Amino acid sequence: MWRNSSSFSSKLFSLSRANPNPNSPIFRGADGVRTPLFPPPSHLHSSSSGIPPSVDPLKPALAKSEAGRSFGFASSSSAAILSSPASASVAEAVRHYGQCYWELSKARLSLLVVATSGAGFVLGSGSIIDFSGLCWTCAGTMMVAASANSLNQVFEINNDAKMKRTRQRPLPSGRLGVAHAAIWASSVGVAGTTLLAWKANALAAGLAASNLALYAFVYTPLKQIHPVNTWVGAVVGAIPPLLGWAAASGEISLNGMILPAALYFWQIPHFMALAYFCRNDYATGGFKMISLADPSGQRTALVALRNCLYLLPLGFLAFDWGVTSEWFCIESSLFTLLLSAAAMSFHRDRTTKNARRMFHASLLYLPVFMASMLLHRHPNNHPELTVADSDGLLELPFSAVEGQESEKKRSQNKLKKNPVGAQARPPVAYASIPPFPFLPAPLYISPDQ
């Protein structure tokens, strides 16, 4: 067999010498011998001549592949084979770090924070909502919330490693380094605050930076010191809707405190339920919760019920202060009574089952409350302060429509009391209007006196 193959290769070699490639250029030497300038593949790769005749049709492709490698060019198939491990490693790295950043940021909790901030933005807007500003505000809030949650895990890495609920997080499990997480948290925090200052206003950026510092450097270490950390954490959760209101209106007003107050009082029963049915895990992690010093759970349940009842007046205040219509007053009262019923059930029978029921009721309460508030909202119009008569009384229209209807009457009164040629009285800045009704009205002093 080997003898036949060697005789075949010798014949192929002699044929190639006698019949060079007709397409290749011919070089004629000094001795008159005609030699092809680019010999066929059999001259360049004599090893291919050892292929048995059974695979003879594959010779040209094999020769072409070998020739390509000899000149430094890899075929497309070999390039794909070589590049596939690198592509797979890059995709795996992106997937790994993306999952770690998602868990570090506590993305679902951060999205809830973004939802409350967006609701505050809509409530603080006028008749026309700036959707571009809304998107920028939500993006900046998401970055700051992700930074705060990441710093929280950096500082609590040892505590999280002891708890069953948190030991699989990126830092305790070793999937990510502490320095890497700290750089990530600092970067997104600075980027989010800068974005809010650039696209919203300095007030919104200041609230975001303050809330980040309060959560990471006050609330986080306080969790290992005193049970008051729950109330400090409630303040942290109440600031995002106020941030959204400030981003839309550029100010902090009394009627903008409705949703922050709702967030504050809502968080107490929400976290009391969580602290009760996770009290063993919190004790293992070294966190000081009110439920750990309350074996019977009576105090924990009473605090939850009391804060549920604090939510009842908010619907009336939202209607009375012109934030929403009277329908929200009715609906929010109904929602709060249902949450209070769950808290009352937990207070009467302090079991893990009732605590979980109150926890799930609180999860349902917040989105329904915010949706109803947005559905029945009134635009946040800012009427101008104007002097209506000679006594300096302030007329504040209750809506933009009434203000437009009374504009002609006010202009006519001004013409009667200030004839042409007379010096008009300057507007008076009153401090006796809401939110400071207890301050006396300033006296007007004529510049001529």
Side-chain angles (χ1 to χ4, degrees):
M1 178 179 177
W2 294 110
R3 187 176 301 173
N4 295 336
S5 62
S6 60
S7 62
F8 170 78
S9 60
S10 60
K11 290 179 181 179
L12 182 63
F13 182 81
S14 61
L15 288 175
S16 62
R17 290 283 295 177
N19 302 308
N21 186 4
N23 296 325
S24 67
I26 301 300
F27 174 75
R28 186 183 298 275
D31 55 356
V33 178
R34 296 162 54 91
T35 306
L37 190 60
F38 299 105
S42 58
H43 286 205
L44 292 174
H45 305 283
S46 58
S47 60
S48 63
S49 60
I51 299 177
S54 58
V55 292
D56 187 71
L58 299 179
K59 280 183 183 180
L62 181 60
K64 181 179 181 181
S65 176
E66 292 179 352
R69 283 196 296 270
S70 65
F71 285 103
F73 298 103
S75 62
S76 59
S77 59
S78 61
I81 293 173
L82 292 175
S83 62
S84 57
S87 301
S89 62
V90 171
E92 186 65 26
V94 170
R95 189 182 304 110
H96 169 74
Y97 286 110
Q99 182 68 24
C100 290
Y101 294 153
W102 178 271
E103 296 179 18
L104 269 181
S105 305
K106 298 180 183 176
R108 289 183 294 179
L109 178 60
S110 297
L111 289 174
L112 177 61
V113 173
V114 170
T116 60
S117 178
F121 187 96
V122 174
L123 291 172
S125 302
S127 301
I128 300 176
I129 300 174
D130 181 11
F131 287 99
S132 175
L134 174 62
C135 293
W136 288 119
T137 301
C138 290
T141 304
M142 182 68 183
M143 292 181 184
V144 175
S147 174
N149 289 321
S150 300
L151 287 175
N152 174 265
Q153 294 186 51
V154 169
F155 297 146
E156 293 181 350
I157 179 174
N158 295 327
N159 304 83
D160 289 343
K162 301 174 183 178
M163 300 171 62
K164 182 187 299 185
R165 188 170 58 92
T166 57
R167 64 181 55 166
Q168 295 302 322
R169 286 177 175 175
L171 295 180
S173 62
R175 289 181 288 145
L176 203 66
V178 176
H180 190 145
I183 293 174
W184 152 260
S186 304
S187 301
V188 294
V190 172
T193 306
T194 304
L195 183 64
L196 288 172
W198 177 34
K199 292 296 184 178
N201 50 56
L203 180 59
L207 286 172
S210 302
N211 209 30
L212 172 61
L214 183 63
Y215 184 83
F217 302 106
V218 179
Y219 167 70
T220 297
L222 200 59
K223 290 169 66 178
Q224 305 175 45
I225 299 174
H226 197 273
V228 76
N229 67 81
T230 303
W231 283 264
V232 176
V235 174
V236 172
I239 290 180
L242 189 62
L243 185 157
W245 181 284
S249 64
E251 63 180 7
I252 297 176
S253 56
L254 187 63
N255 54 355
M257 298 299 296
I258 299 294
L259 188 55
L263 263 294
Y264 177 85
F265 294 127
W266 166 82
Q267 287 177 92
I268 304 300
H270 176 79
F271 284 112
M272 287 299 157
L274 184 65
Y276 185 81
F277 63 76
C278 292
R279 57 189 183 277
N280 294 331
D281 219 15
Y282 281 123
T284 304
F287 296 118
K288 306 296 183 181
M289 298 296 173
I290 190 175
S291 59
L292 301 183
D294 182 29
S296 65
Q298 184 175 1
R299 185 183 177 190
T300 304
L302 185 60
V303 170
L305 178 60
R306 183 171 64 240
N307 283 269
C308 287
L309 297 178
Y310 290 158
L311 289 166
L312 279 173
L314 295 182
F316 173 76
L317 292 177
F319 165 63
D320 186 60
W321 292 350
V323 180
T324 63
S325 66
E326 64 275 9
W327 287 105
F328 174 73
C329 178
I330 300 172
E331 293 174 2
S332 67
S333 300
L334 179 61
F335 303 149
T336 305
L337 287 175
L338 293 175
L339 179 61
S340 301
M344 179 63 72
S345 177
F346 174 58
H347 182 264
R348 288 181 176 179
D349 187 12
R350 294 175 295 278
T351 61
T352 302
K353 180 180 178 181
N354 287 335
R356 289 186 182 276
R357 185 178 299 171
M358 185 177 69
F359 179 77
H360 293 149
S362 67
L363 289 178
L364 181 63
Y365 173 85
L366 184 61
V368 172
F369 181 90
M370 290 196 302
S372 177
M373 196 172 188
L374 294 177
L375 179 64
H376 302 294
R377 81 175 186 99
H378 285 163
N380 180 35
N381 297 315
H382 306 282
E384 296 181 356
L385 303 182
T386 57
V387 177
D389 53 21
S390 59
D391 295 331
L393 298 178
L394 183 65
E395 181 184 353
L396 292 178
F398 293 97
S399 65
V401 177
E402 294 178 2
Q404 293 175 359
E405 291 177 353
S406 60
E407 183 66 29
K408 294 182 180 180
K409 295 181 180 179
R410 289 200 300 269
S411 61
Q412 292 175 359
N413 291 334
K414 288 181 181 180
L415 290 176
K416 290 179 181 179
K417 293 175 175 56
N418 296 309
V420 179
Q423 184 178 2
R425 295 172 60 183
V428 180
Y430 281 86
S432 59
I433 61 173
F436 307 107
F438 50 85
L439 296 179
L443 299 175
Y444 173 77
I445 301 177
S446 175
D448 299 333
Q449 296 179 356

